[in-house]
Amino acid sequence: MDLQTFLQQFVNALSLGSLYALIAIGYTMVYGILRLINFAHGDVFMIGGYLAFYGVSTFLMPWWLAVCLAIVVTTVFGVGLERVAYRPLRDSPRISIMISAIGASFLIENLAIVLFDARPKAFPVSNLFAGNHVIGGVHIAAVSLIIPVVTAVLLAVLLWIVHRTKTGMAMRAVSTDIDAARLMAIDVNRIVSITFAIGSALAAIGGILWALKYPRLEPLMGIMPGLKCFIAAVVGGIGSIAGAVLGGLLLGLIELMTIAVLPELTGYKDAFAFVLLIMVLLVKPTGLLGKNQGEKV
Amino acid sequence: MLSIKNLSVHYGGIHALRGISLDVPAGKIVTLVGANGAGKSTTLNSIMGLVKAGGGSVCWNGEEILGSPTKAIVESGIVLVPEGRRIFPNLTVDENLSLGAYARTNKDEVEADRERVFGLFPRLKERHKQKAGTFSGGEQQMLAVGRALMSKPKVLMMDEPSLGLAPLFVGMIFDIIRQINAAGVTVLLVEQNAKAALEVADTGYVMETGTIIFSGNGKDLLVDDRVRKAYLGEA
Amino acid sequence: MNTLQKKPMSRDAMLTLGAAVIGLVLLFVFDSTFDRFTMQIFKLCAINIILALSLNLINGFTGLFSLGHAGFMAVGAYTCALLAMTPDQKATNFVLQPIAPWLLDLHLPFLPALLVSGLIAGFIGWFLGVVALRLRDDYLAIATLGFSEIIRVVLTNTQSITNGSLGLKGIPRYTTMWWAWGSAVVITLFLVLLIKSSYGRAFKSIRDNEIAAESMGVDVFGMKVLSFTISSFLAGIAGGLLAHYLTTIDPKQFIFLKTFDILLIVVLGGVGSITGSIVAAIVVTISMEALRFLDGPLNLGFMVTNGVPGLRMVFFSALLMVVVIFRQQGLMGTSEFSWDSLSRIGLLPKRGPKSGKGGE
Amino acid sequence: MSSLLQTIEVNKQFGGLSAVTALNMDVQPGEIVGLIGPNGAGKTTSFNLITGVYKPTSGKVMFDGKDITGMKPHAITHLGVARTFQNIRLFKEMSVLENVLVAQHMRMGTNLLEATLRLPSYMKKERHVHERARALLDEVGLSAHEGNKATSLPYGKQRRLEIARALATEPKLLFLDEPAAGMNPQESVELMDFILKIRDQFKLTIVLIEHHMQVVMGVCKRMYVLDYGVTIAHGTPEEIQKNPKVIEAYLGVE
Amino acid sequence: SKPATDSDVIKIGVFEPLTGANGAGGADEYDGIKLANKLFPEILGKKVQLVAVDNKSDKVEAANAATVLAQKEKVNAVIGSWGSSLSMSGGPIFAEAKIPAVAVSATNPAVTKGNEYYFRVCFLDPFQGVVGATYAFNTLKAKKVAIIREVSNDYSVGLAKFFADEFVKLTGDQGAIVATSDYNTGDQDFSAQLTNIKKFEPDAIFAPGNYTESALIIKQARALGINAQFIGGDTWDMAAFLEVGGPAVEGAVFSTFFANDVPINKTSESFLKSFRDEYKKEPSAVSALGYDAYLVILDAIKRANSAEPQKIRDALTQTKDFEGSAGAITINAERNADKAAVFKTVKDGKFAFLTTVKPQ
Ligand SMILES: Nc1ncnc2c1ncn2[C@@H]1O[C@H](COP(=O)(O)OP(=O)(O)OP(=O)(O)O)[C@@H](O)[C@H]1O
Ligand SMILES: Nc1ncnc2c1ncn2[C@@H]1O[C@H](COP(=O)(O)OP(=O)(O)OP(=O)(O)O)[C@@H](O)[C@H]1O
Ligand SMILES: [Mg+2]
Ligand SMILES: [Mg+2]
């Protein structure tokens, strides 16, 4: 592989990886606090994309307004989802909550099929993001430049919220010990709602950026990205925000660089994420940056 | 005053509290002693609303608080130092203390209280930036008590504060209980260490398998034969 | 069955035998009177029963969170189809890339093919189990899901063995009513006996408290692997039956979402209840068909709607959520059908045999 | 007589915490040995180290002349070591009888085939373990509850079920972690008699953790005292009661 | 219910994926069928009723849906399904029930092969692959071609193979296919594959696959500075291909069934007009074919002077030079339509007719 091809592949991988990272953060926040694999996260992501689409193409809003509204509505949707599908099960066995998440995911997908139609829609990409840059023979789409920046900014904002604000402190408290958090007069439901709000907003942003990069919407578009980003979060160490970013980048790199180096494996690309996952888990069962929580006997 | 009537709790098939009644007069120290699994922690947890009671009532200054959310109970001035400390190990000492004052809005008062806690436990001040999980058991217990004091309690309930503490610390904890009480805070104390507990208490209740079997003045109970035999390990 | 009959006949054994005979007669009656459609659904019920039971063994009885079932089904389906198809049938399938020569002439009758597909799925299950069962909870769940997807991707890409994405078609329709229900009954019986045996108790002890189980002398890891292997074996059998029921298979249909479908049945029936899995498998399979009218034009009395394709699935998933939220333990919880429970509610003499399959 | 159990310089660290330091225990067959010390002294951890739940950071555990260091718990149980748990660990969803039956699985020596096919060979063993399980439940006074769910039992009875379950594994050496916890004084006295009885009846050697001094002093011939993971004393009850270090760290000044 | 032949209505089953991954294609075909039914609602004095079942893009569901049509609804004939593998899932069921089925756009040879009851009104993949390669070689003068195929899609894998074989034959150069890359259904990032292809500087890239993935591929290729000519198949003939691809797909060429800017006969004209009136949008090729499939069945019923399934089937085999909206249809001995392929390109954001290629 010549240097230019390598650089091109590397840029491709970083661009995909930072998108994975962005979505994985939302996953990891929700999981970190509730220990819930939110299988519906990918569907919330899909809703974000569609809302922005309808904002621009049906209601003819300017794109920035459509994006903001889409994020807000998706956030409300995510908070509502937690209320309806997860809160009643907070003290139930894990499998019940997970089934509820799967059920919610099915419901959202099927509703989307009925409401939005199963046929893919083309996402209207504003000219602002449609450009393309060539730097030293390496082609970089404008969105691919924006995504890592957005991811980095959001990462900083999140780290600030979680580590520097009172609410963030409460989130960390809830995630270690719900009952002890209650004893601190923390309104656990509110904190969980806020977490879901942040997670859903991130999903919406992820969905919109995804649609800008791959301008096609369909009701089932969230399933695979959702699963892969969850894997990214697990690989990085679930519950760790930095881990999610690391996992996302790593996944993007592995997926694309493996193909770059071994083109005959392209057909197996969908399996790379899982192979990475299993290898990491076997070596470090709690993920790269995860903390060990053994059971005291 | 805190008054508990006929409180009853089930965990699935286990009848953990079988209708217990006790009074905690304002400004006093009341202690609850009894064997492992007698239901002492359950009593405290159900007062705090962490465990759902099956029946009975908990009145605080004439108001029924049973069934209120934990948040409201803490804000009304009842605070629990839970069994096993339950500090937040990934958070620093400062953050743990701030969480204790989570519901309070007056920053100056909170800072003043933080200084007061540091005065009580200079050890915490030395290490205020350290993650609490790296503390020794005794230090963690100080933090748990300090954290509770940060919420400016009117009633401080402590669940086995001497658990896992070196005898030296045990003595110190009981001194602090006296100090806190002297500052006007009502204390409800649950202890395995019945001897020390009864020594500081105004009133003692003895629990056994979900019921209160007898009660009385702390000093009287200390010399009570039944107590000596069953809980003080004296023949 | 034999060993059961050797014992002196207790009331329950006689009732069970009676139920079995009535069941057999009914099956025969159904087979000769039902139309093809009803039979088709009826057969699918049996296959779903096997799938639900095998997943319940691992998730419900051994307490291991496994989401890899679709993969083991796929292995079973491919193995069985490739073994039971004649060389001619195979050759016509592999139009793009010829089938591997060693596989072409490998041909077995249905029963041995079915058993081999179970064995191969079981073997793969054993191997993956040894690797993955060191993980717990969610980590195990996501790793097993990963294995199932890896299996699917491999099936897609090994064209000279599986015919890749073209899949296999023209698989002989061997899965008759007798094969489907016969297997379901034998497997149910096997699982009931297994769960009631000392091994079943060991599985349940792992679910209830792993550390205590280990300390009571239960080889926890070995037992987990055993349970995982048996579960994979049964999933493989179900896959084989499915292949010869559909007569055409391809890798796409074994995507991980398939596992979720089965998991839903298990949870609806009650995690850890054989009866529950059976009842739920039948109810879900039938209601998926019965709700089909929702996709077509609806006559609501006051108005007729246009057909809304997908409404059925919306309704179904909403129903599922309602059950999960309001009846978390599923239909049966962890309880099982027993003759005693029938006589307790005074229903015994009138009871039909269908539910009698539940948990003799 | 050779020791049944010997721990040689066993250490255990959790991260930076030294939970057990240089544990040197020596238990002779037929003895009842006590292990006492303040909360968090490392008593339960010592049990966990010997029964294989935790692996020692360093040191050696010898049982019946064999090195069992680092073996899996079920293998150690197989050799004849059984235990109860401080925080009760019953099989919650299973019946009282089943709890005891599970503990005999290992000794049944069946294979999957004969068990599921219910071959006569298996049915014979099955009848045998049922009889034994019922006898054990009778022994601990739980016969009336055999069909109930384990968790439906009151606390004290759950403890007795744990003991019955441990006995079902046919141990030579039995570890009891705070068996009197949650028992009232009357029950505690009965427990003392029960411990002595099973020791004789099942030819057991017993190691006992207990805060209830009356029980410990009553049944133990010898005891070890731990504090912060370190063995601060060992000897007969009389010696221990007089030991100033023990009084300071544990018993308190009367 | 009574057999449909005796009653006043003739039932035609619509066997399509209305939800799931193939939902879009199924819906487009259904549009054409509905239109035909609206325009031609009667034959032999009887009303023709469409009975639509959703096969959910899923093989198991497809088998069930086919059984519903054949056994429960007892339809006289069937139209569908989009997606060859789904058609294959229903095929044996229709054959056993002796009900004729007419595939609209299922181009896989295996659909009709060996199934006496399956017909189709479109051409086949081998033909499409051959004309694609011929076009690339003769018209585009391409010497080096790269292929990027959807490995989990049988259509794509098949077409790629037929194209490659023919292209190698035409150029006489074993290395004429410079690279073959794979991706999976639903993939959205193809940058790694495309970057690999870029190294070989191919004259053209053949990318058979679903229109959305294909549009994204072309878009990403352009963004990576790949200027090679893109060639595709009939699946690109969808409005969404243009929408998703935007300016990037300008100049891409593909073979398809029908060109709506150049009506070939009277039927096309009337179809185009009614379709635009009815749906206020441009028809896709499969809508035209769906329309034709319906008409072909009606024609067969007329010629048979009976709606009995067996008679319809026999009449279908005799279909000759039937003027469909997408060209004349003659059903050959393999029950396939001998039809010409149309080449289209994208010009100014619209599809534009290039040429017609007749079968040899
Ligand atoms: N979450 C729970 N689920 C089920 N049972 C419980 C639970 N918590 C406590 N119990 C049971 O309730 C009874 C009372 O327990 P509780 O913790 O109140 O006792 P305690 O007096 O505080 O004992 P200790 O001295 O060990 O702290 C015990 O039998 C215990 O096993
Ligand atoms: N899995 C673990 N991880 C980390 N620390 C542990 C673990 N298990 C035990 N410890 C620590 O080891 C020390 C000894 O604990 P252990 O349970 O052995 O005490 P104990 O003597 O049994 O006390 P008690 O009388 O309260 O039961 C404690 O500080 C405990 O927190
Ligand atoms: Mg307690
Ligand atoms: Mg202990």
Side-chain angles (χ1 to χ4, degrees), chain E residues 119-124 328-332 334-340 359:
Chain E
F119 299 81
R120 75 178 110 209
V121 294
C122 55
F123 51 62
L124 275 69
I329 297 166
T330 297
I331 302 285
N332 64 22
E334 276 82 47
R335 290 168 305 283
N336 299 319
D338 288 325
K339 285 186 69 174

Side-chain angles (χ1 to χ4, degrees), chain A residues 295-296, chain D residues 14 17 19 38-45 54 86 178 211:
Chain A
E295 188 180 0
K296 187 177 180 296
Chain D
F14 292 110
L17 174 89
N39 288 114
K43 308 180 293 292
T44 302
T45 304
Y54 295 155
Q86 177 177 8
E178 302 199 22
H211 285 298

Side-chain angles (χ1 to χ4, degrees), chain C residues 76-98:
Chain C
Y78 269 93
T79 312
C80 195
L82 285 169
L83 288 177
M85 284 165 91
T86 61
D88 261 3
Q89 286 168 327
K90 281 184 246 186
T92 50
N93 263 290
F94 287 70
V95 285
L96 295 184
Q97 194 174 334

Side-chain angles (χ1 to χ4, degrees), chain C residues 47-292:
Chain C
I47 296 175
N48 281 339
I49 286 176
I50 302 175
L51 286 170
L53 285 179
S54 58
L55 191 64
N56 205 349
L57 172 66
I58 188 88
N59 278 16
F61 289 102
T62 322
L64 298 172
F65 217 161
S66 164
L67 296 179
H69 236 50
F72 300 117
M73 265 169 86
V75 170
Y78 269 93
T79 312
C80 195
L82 285 169
L83 288 177
M85 284 165 91
T86 61
D88 261 3
Q89 286 168 327
K90 281 184 246 186
T92 50
N93 263 290
F94 287 70
V95 285
L96 295 184
Q97 194 174 334
I99 183 169
W102 59 269
L103 192 57
L104 183 67
D105 295 324
L106 217 55
H107 176 65
L108 288 177
F110 186 49
L111 180 62
L114 195 61
L115 288 177
V116 171
S117 55
L119 287 176
I120 293 192
F123 175 76
I124 294 180
W126 170 81
F127 176 76
L128 299 184
V130 169
V131 175
L133 286 169
R134 296 198 277 138
L135 302 169
R136 290 215 175 120
D137 297 343
D138 296 350
Y139 292 102
L140 177 64
I142 195 78
T144 47
L145 189 154
F147 278 134
S148 131
E149 281 291 281
I150 291 173
I151 290 177
R152 184 177 66 83
V153 172
V154 169
L155 289 175
T156 310
N157 285 281
T158 46
Q159 198 148 21
S160 65
I161 297 174
T162 62
N163 206 20
S165 55
L166 274 68
L168 300 171
K169 75 156 224 167
I171 304 167
R173 191 183 287 283
Y174 285 141
T175 307
T176 59
M177 186 79 103
W178 295 105
W179 275 112
W181 278 96
S183 317
V185 169
V186 169
I187 287 171
T188 305
L189 202 66
F190 166 74
L191 280 176
V192 170
L193 292 177
L194 176 68
I195 294 300
K196 281 190 169 177
S197 80
S198 184
Y199 283 83
R201 293 193 295 260
F203 291 155
K204 288 192 278 179
S205 75
I206 295 172
R207 167 192 72 189
D208 283 0
N209 198 317
E210 213 172 285
I211 288 169
E214 180 85 38
S215 289
M216 290 309 125
V218 175
D219 177 1
V220 168
F221 185 73
M223 281 294 171
K224 281 180 174 178
V225 172
L226 179 67
S227 169
F228 200 76
T229 307
I230 295 175
S231 171
S232 314
F233 171 83
L234 297 178
I237 299 269
L241 289 168
L242 189 71
H244 291 268
Y245 161 88
L246 292 173
T247 72
T248 161
I249 51 174
D250 69 30
K252 240 185 286 179
Q253 76 195 78
F254 299 106
I255 189 168
F256 66 92
L257 296 173
K258 182 81 210 165
T259 307
F260 289 178
D261 292 347
I262 310 164
L263 190 64
L264 299 182
I265 294 179
V266 172
V267 171
L268 284 180
V271 175
S273 166
I274 290 183
T275 320
S277 287
I278 293 172
V279 173
I282 295 173
V283 168
V284 168
T285 312
I286 291 177
S287 56
M288 282 301 276
E289 281 310 310
L291 291 174
R292 203 177 268 287

Side-chain angles (χ1 to χ4, degrees), chain A residues 24-72:
Chain A
I25 304 174
Y27 244 119
T28 226
M29 293 226 12
V30 169
Y31 188 95
I33 292 210
L34 290 184
R35 302 259 290 140
L36 159 72
I37 305 182
N38 185 12
F39 274 108
H41 196 80
D43 302 302
V44 175
F45 158 96
M46 174 269 296
I47 301 262
Y50 266 97
L51 287 175
F53 165 81
Y54 282 112
V56 173
S57 58
T58 308
F59 298 104
L60 303 173
M61 296 175 193
W63 69 267
W64 58 267
L65 181 64
V67 165
C68 291
L69 269 180
I71 295 172
V72 170

Side-chain angles (χ1 to χ4, degrees), chain B residues 179-199:
Chain B
Q179 249 176 289
I180 292 169
N181 178 248
V185 178
T186 310
V187 176
L188 174 55
L189 177 67
V190 160
E191 256 304 331
Q192 283 274 6
N193 193 339
K195 189 157 161 280
L198 290 173
E199 269 166 7

Side-chain angles (χ1 to χ4, degrees), chain C residues 205 208-209 212-213, chain D residues 89-94 99 102 150 165:
Chain C
S205 75
D208 283 0
N209 198 317
Chain D
R89 286 176 177 271
L90 290 171
F91 305 124
K92 298 195 182 85
E93 296 293 322
M94 299 169 74
N99 263 276
V102 168
R165 194 178 63 171

Side-chain angles (χ1 to χ4, degrees), chain D residues 54-68:
Chain D
Y54 295 155
K55 282 197 175 62
T57 313
S58 67
K60 227 161 92 171
V61 182
M62 304 287 295
F63 173 72
D64 216 358
K66 272 194 229 34
D67 184 352
I68 60 166

